[in-house]
Amino acid sequence: MRAVNLIPDDSRRGWRGPVGGSGGSVYVLLGALAVALALVTLYVLTTNRISDQKAKVAGLQAQASQAQSAAARLAPYVEFAKLAQARTATVRGIASSRFDWHGALAGLSRVVPANTSLQSLVGTVVPGVTVGGAGGSATGASLRGDVSAPAFELTGCSDSQDDVARLVSRLRLIDGVTHVSLEDTQKSANGQSGASVSSGSGGGCPKGSPTFDMVVFFTPLANAGADGVTSVSSEPVSSTTTSGGSR
Amino acid sequence: MTGRDRIVVVIVVLIVAVIGSWVLVIGPKRDQADKLGAKVTAAQNQLTAARAQIAAAEADRSAYGRNYEAVAELGEAIPSDDDTPSLIYELQNAATRTGVDFLSLVLNGASSTPAATTSSASSSTSQAVTATLPPGAAVGPAGLPTLPFTFTFQGNFFHLASFLGRLERFVVATNKKVSVGGRLMTLNGISLGAAPTGFPQIVATISATTYLVPASEGLTDGASPSGPAAGSSANTVSGSTSSATPAAAITP
């Protein structure tokens, strides 16, 4: 007769669990399923992320395209603003780099002594500028070419050689004068004909008075090109206004 | 094969499957996602740049009236053609106000061979540009046309000095403002000599250069008070061909 064990399975000695003698295969299977689940989850998440980013890229590109179209429509305004800025900068560059003729002549009139007459005055912003007409030929041309700066070439006469020396000293007092070069001073026995340009005494050179040729050099202009035409590097200034001025 | 061996085999197979799926499926997907992330960043930057462009353009559009006014006023200083009548009027007006007699105006004519020593290509280009200029005008190396004049005036020394000051004040430039009241001109040289009538009357001969806007631009580059012309050549200010910045070197 066969014995029957009436003790419940889980109360028997040496019970090995519900898997019984499967040797842990169930755990392996469960682990494999867990790993597979993780991989599938990761795959799905990544796929979703890709889809989201694709949609985002498409949206952003559409917005950027619209914005670029709008910017393109407004481009003529931008171009015109650049034109206005550049032209203003050009005019400013030329206007602000010119030689102050009025100031120089006013300074000259203040320093020429009363007993000195100027027979001619030739002013040029750089050597080589030709000015026709009366007084156009300067005798100090050789000295003039030595310095590339605005200069007055003066010809005139004075009462004595001391007065010529005094004139040279006083010319140095003019604003912006860097150098005064005396080319010659000669006492003429016959005097020099011709009316004066700027004089305290007026008239031509009296007999026996010394005549002189000198060159007064001023501070060089920053942008003076050949023939005195201004060369300008224009830098637009954003907050520039232009207004009509009085003449 | 024992049960333990089977488990080991299964685990190895699982590991291989995991690595394989990572390398073959998930890895490429993640790479794709990363690349798309970079694309998103680039598209965002593109959008930001485009929006900044729009903001700047809107500012320029709102300032258009002011800019047009400025360019139109500068047209008095730098006209599109020689505009000799207005120049004579301005000179005569200044001479009258300072008590100076306006004797003569001579257009010195163009010594318009700025590209004489350059290649034939640039020479032909220069000739083409010069052909659109008024007679007597010459194009400088950077394309800004100039027109040389010689003026003769008679008056006393102080009146002539005052007259020269008035000529310079046709255009006055300060740091913030350019005031235009007449033609922009550079006085290259003056010659003072005795007048036929004698002292204190003297004759002043003035060598001056006036400037014109480049023929390719015209006065307002095709713009009207209502709006700018499409496809304007604004970036070729003064004849230089800068593509983006107007800060071009201008050498008349």
Side-chain angles (χ1 to χ4, degrees), chain A residues 22-25 28-29 31-33 35-36 38-40 42-43 46-47 49-51 53-54 56-57 60-61 63-68 70-71 74-96 98-103 105-106 108-109 118-126 129-137 152 194-203 227-237 239-247, chain B residues 7 10-11 14 17-18 21-22 25-26 29-30 32-34 36-37 39-40 43-44 46-47 50-51 53-54 56-58 60-61 64 67-68 70-71 73-74 76-78 89-90 93 97 144 146 157-158 161-162 164-182 184-194 198-199 202-203 205-207 209 211 213 217-221 223 226-232 234-235 237-238 244 246-252:
Chain A
S22 66
S25 301
V28 172
L29 181 62
L33 286 175
V35 169
L39 288 174
V40 168
L42 189 59
Y43 176 81
T46 306
T47 306
R49 187 174 145 211
I50 288 171
S51 300
Q53 284 180 335
K54 276 183 179 173
K56 203 171 179 181
V57 167
L60 286 171
Q61 284 177 339
Q63 287 182 52
S65 177
Q66 285 179 348
Q68 283 168 345
L74 295 172
Y77 291 97
V78 177
E79 299 300 312
F80 191 80
K82 287 178 181 173
L83 169 72
Q85 281 189 354
R87 197 167 289 178
T88 303
T90 302
V91 172
R92 171 185 286 108
I94 294 173
S96 60
R98 292 176 297 180
F99 179 64
D100 182 11
W101 291 99
H102 175 250
L105 289 176
L108 179 67
S109 69
L118 298 182
Q119 303 300 316
S120 73
L121 182 155
V122 177
T124 48
V125 291
V126 289
V129 173
T130 55
V131 187
S137 59
F152 285 168
S196 64
V197 169
S198 172
S199 167
S201 58
D227 298 332
V229 177
T230 305
S231 302
V232 179
S233 177
S234 67
E235 290 293 334
V237 177
S239 58
T240 294
T241 60
T242 306
S243 65
S246 61
R247 291 177 191 175
Chain B
I7 288 174
V10 168
I11 287 174
L14 276 177
V18 167
S21 61
W22 186 271
V25 180
I26 295 177
K29 283 286 181 187
R30 285 173 62 85
Q32 189 181 357
D34 290 342
L36 280 171
K39 273 189 180 178
V40 167
Q44 278 173 337
Q46 198 179 0
L47 180 60
R51 283 179 175 158
Q53 266 187 314
I54 289 178
E58 288 289 355
D60 287 336
R61 181 165 69 172
Y64 175 74
N67 288 333
Y68 185 83
V71 169
E73 284 178 355
L74 288 175
E76 188 179 358
I78 304 182
Y89 173 79
E90 289 166 0
N93 190 26
R97 286 177 180 230
L144 191 64
T146 60
F157 182 86
F158 296 102
S162 176
L164 293 179
R166 193 169 283 271
L167 289 189
E168 290 167 356
R169 287 195 300 276
F170 278 172
V171 177
V172 177
T174 59
N175 285 338
K176 294 284 182 184
K177 188 175 172 183
V178 177
S179 298
V180 178
L184 174 66
M185 63 177 75
T186 304
L187 306 186
N188 307 318
I190 64 170
S191 168
L192 303 183
F199 187 80
I202 56 179
V203 171
T205 304
I206 301 169
S207 170
T209 299
Y211 301 87
V213 294
E217 290 177 11
L219 195 60
T220 59
D221 199 19
S226 57
S232 65
N235 279 335
V237 173
S238 77
I250 295 171
T251 309

Side-chain angles (χ1 to χ4, degrees), chain A residues 136-172:
Chain A
S137 59
T139 52
S142 59
L143 284 176
R144 174 66 186 98
D146 290 347
V147 180
S148 181
F152 285 168
E153 298 166 58
L154 306 177
T155 304
C157 54
S158 194
D159 282 354
S160 66
Q161 299 288 16
D162 286 348
D163 290 332
V164 174
R166 190 174 297 114
L167 175 64
V168 171
S169 299
R170 295 190 63 164
L171 286 172
R172 292 192 176 119

